[in-house]
């Protein structure tokens, strides 16, 4: 009985329809197939891939968005899924742009070794942490916007309202507005403003409760996933949650501290990791000549700082600095706590 041929699949994911393609181990294009984004469509797509031979791997675009659910099906059927980046513009200009072409390109990237990344599992506690962090971030953003609206209304409010609310902290302002009684006489110019402030205050308080609930749930989820993470110096709920989401539900895909540090580099500007600055050392600035010195206006000269000078000023390039683990003392501790399944290096 002849042995089945070995094939590699490629999938270009979309909102309503996924486009699949299959090639053999020498790169020959065999067939393409479109399937709807439904459970029945996922099963049909997997059966279609297997009808062409033994499926070695499946390359897939958008494993973190449109293809998140589809990526789970091959893994549950013992088929390796490889995350494929979108082809660059030069390759698209050379080969054209269509869904079958992109699906073939995903399979070819796996065959050539250009795509090697293992997608996140998205099927465990870390996925729950990611979802709760989305809720918390949305509530924090909405509460900040509500606070700004309250203060803007006070600035343009009649003098009687404005004088009754002097320069107060946000907490004290919300407390005083929540206890206020706007009245019901809408012919008074101050009453509509008071009613608006009262309504915004209720919204602010509701969002505060939602944020507190999200933080409580996040701490419980983080404690059950990585109990020692919150005990690290400088690691709170937000940082611990982001570190876990960065590692994913399958941290064994990260083979070293360097790979984990490279993923964390994307969050550096958002404040996830900051270089260690010894006590008493002044904060480095980009402009050595002083804040009032003339600045360069030629756009071609912007962003061309010598890397050696950047290191002297304390601005280490993130991936290299993390590879050397210089100035980021908490990273190695987080790496030890998060994954219990990291292979020894």
């Amino acid at each position: 009985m002849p042995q089945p041929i070995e094939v590699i699949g490629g999938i270009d994911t979309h909102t309503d329809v996924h486009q699949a393609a299959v090639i053999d181990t020498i790169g020959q294009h065999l067939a393409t197939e479109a399937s709807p984004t439904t459970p029945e469509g996922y099963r049909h797509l997997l059966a279609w891939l297997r009808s062409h031979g033994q499926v070695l791997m499946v390359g897939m675009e958008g494993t973190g968005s449109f293809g998140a659910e589809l990526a789970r099906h091959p893994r549950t059927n013992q088929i390796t899924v490889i995350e494929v980046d979108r082809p660059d513009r030069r390759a698209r200009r050379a080969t054209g742009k269509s869904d079958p072409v992109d699906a073939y390109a995903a399979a070819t990237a796996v065959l050539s070794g250009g795509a090697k990344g293992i997608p996140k599992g998205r099927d465990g506690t870390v996925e729950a942490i990611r979802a709760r962090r989305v809720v918390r971030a949305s509530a924090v953003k909405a509460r900040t916007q509500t606070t700004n609206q309250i203060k803007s209304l006070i600035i343009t409010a009649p003098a009687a309202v404005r004088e009754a609310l002097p320069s107060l902290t946000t907490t004290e302002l919300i407390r005083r507005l929540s206890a206020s009684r706007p009245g019901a006489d809408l012919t008074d110019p101050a009453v509509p403003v008071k009613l608006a402030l009262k309504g915004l205050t209720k919204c602010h308080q509701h969002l505060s409760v939602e944020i507190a609930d999200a933080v409580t749930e996040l701490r419980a989820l983080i404690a059950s996933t990585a109990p020692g993470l919150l005990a690290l110096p400088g690691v709170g709920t937000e940082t611990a949650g982001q570190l876990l989401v960065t590692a994913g539900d399958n941290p064994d895909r990260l083979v070293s501290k360097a790979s984990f540090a490279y993923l964390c580099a994307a969050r550096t500007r958002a404040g996830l990791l900051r270089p260690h600055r010894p006590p008493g050392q002044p904060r480095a600035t980009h402009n050595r000549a002083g804040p009032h010195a003339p600045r360069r206006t030629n756009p071609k000269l912007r962003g061309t700082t010598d890397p050696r000078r950047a290191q002297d000023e304390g601005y280490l390039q993130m991936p290299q600095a993390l590879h050397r683990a210089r100035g980021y003392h908490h990273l190695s501790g987080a790496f030890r706590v998060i994954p219990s399944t990291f292979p020894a290096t």
Side-chain angles (χ1 to χ4, degrees):
M1 182 177 180
Q3 295 292 330
I5 65 172
E6 296 178 337
V7 297
I8 296 174
I11 302 177
D12 183 28
T13 60
H14 297 280
T15 306
D16 301 318
V17 176
H18 294 327
Q19 182 71 43
V22 62
I23 63 175
D24 58 17
T25 53
I26 61 174
Q28 182 179 0
H29 294 187
L30 300 180
T32 62
E33 177 78 2
S35 179
T37 57
T38 61
E40 181 62 31
Y42 301 150
R43 290 190 289 268
H44 166 74
L45 208 57
L46 184 59
W48 177 82
L49 288 172
R50 284 178 164 172
S51 66
H52 291 83
Q54 181 183 356
V55 182
L56 300 179
M57 291 178 288
V58 175
M60 188 181 303
E61 292 185 21
T63 58
S65 55
F66 298 127
E69 179 63 24
L70 177 60
R72 297 185 181 100
H73 283 260
R75 286 199 303 268
T76 56
N77 289 272
Q78 288 73 48
I79 297 177
T80 303
V81 178
I82 303 297
E83 187 172 7
V84 178
D85 294 331
R86 185 181 66 177
D88 57 21
R89 294 181 179 179
R90 181 177 180 181
R92 285 193 167 182
R93 283 195 297 267
T95 59
K97 171 67 178 77
S98 68
D99 294 344
V101 168
D102 289 346
Y104 277 125
T108 304
V110 174
L111 178 62
S112 65
K116 301 179 181 179
I118 302 297
K120 294 181 180 180
R122 299 182 181 276
D123 54 1
T125 309
V126 175
E127 182 64 12
I129 293 174
R130 186 188 70 84
R132 292 306 298 167
R133 290 186 75 249
V134 170
V135 174
R136 180 192 174 277
S138 176
V140 168
K141 183 178 180 181
R143 188 178 67 175
T144 301
Q145 184 179 13
T146 303
T147 303
N148 294 336
Q149 290 171 341
I150 290 174
K151 294 182 178 181
S152 298
L153 273 176
I154 293 174
I155 292 174
T156 59
V161 178
R162 191 171 61 252
E163 294 298 328
L165 299 170
S167 298
L168 301 173
T169 63
T170 301
T171 303
E172 180 63 23
L173 181 63
I174 296 300
R175 187 193 66 79
R176 185 172 298 188
L177 289 174
S178 64
S180 65
R181 295 182 178 180
D185 185 10
L186 297 180
T187 60
D188 184 356
V191 171
V193 176
K194 292 180 180 179
L195 289 172
L197 291 173
K198 185 80 171 183
L200 289 172
T201 301
K202 291 181 179 179
C203 180
H204 188 283
Q205 292 174 329
H206 173 75
L207 291 170
S208 297
V209 172
E210 187 174 350
I211 293 170
D213 292 343
V215 170
T216 301
E217 294 178 8
L218 281 171
R219 293 190 72 88
L221 290 170
I222 293 170
S224 65
T225 305
L229 187 57
L230 292 174
L232 293 175
V235 179
T237 305
E238 181 66 14
T239 302
Q242 180 59 59
L243 286 170
L244 288 171
V245 171
T246 301
D249 280 305
N250 50 339
D252 52 306
R253 65 195 179 90
L254 305 174
V255 297
S256 65
K257 293 181 181 179
S259 59
F260 179 62
Y262 188 81
L263 291 177
C264 290
R267 297 293 302 179
T268 303
R269 292 186 178 181
L272 173 61
L273 298 174
R274 294 191 179 98
H276 174 70
R277 181 161 48 92
Q281 179 179 341
R283 186 182 300 274
T285 59
H286 288 283
N287 192 0
R288 285 187 170 182
H292 302 293
R295 297 181 180 272
R296 295 176 298 184
T297 57
N298 189 341
K300 294 183 179 180
L301 298 179
R302 295 177 182 174
T304 56
T305 305
D306 185 357
R308 290 173 296 181
R309 177 182 174 184
Q311 291 185 9
D312 293 339
E313 293 180 350
Y315 290 92
L316 302 177
Q317 295 183 6
M318 186 66 180
Q320 289 81 356
L322 284 173
H323 279 300
R324 293 192 297 269
R326 181 172 65 184
Y328 295 85
H329 302 301
H330 305 326
L331 179 62
S332 58
F335 186 86
R336 289 194 300 270
V337 171
I338 292 175
S340 58
T341 56
F342 274 107
T345 56

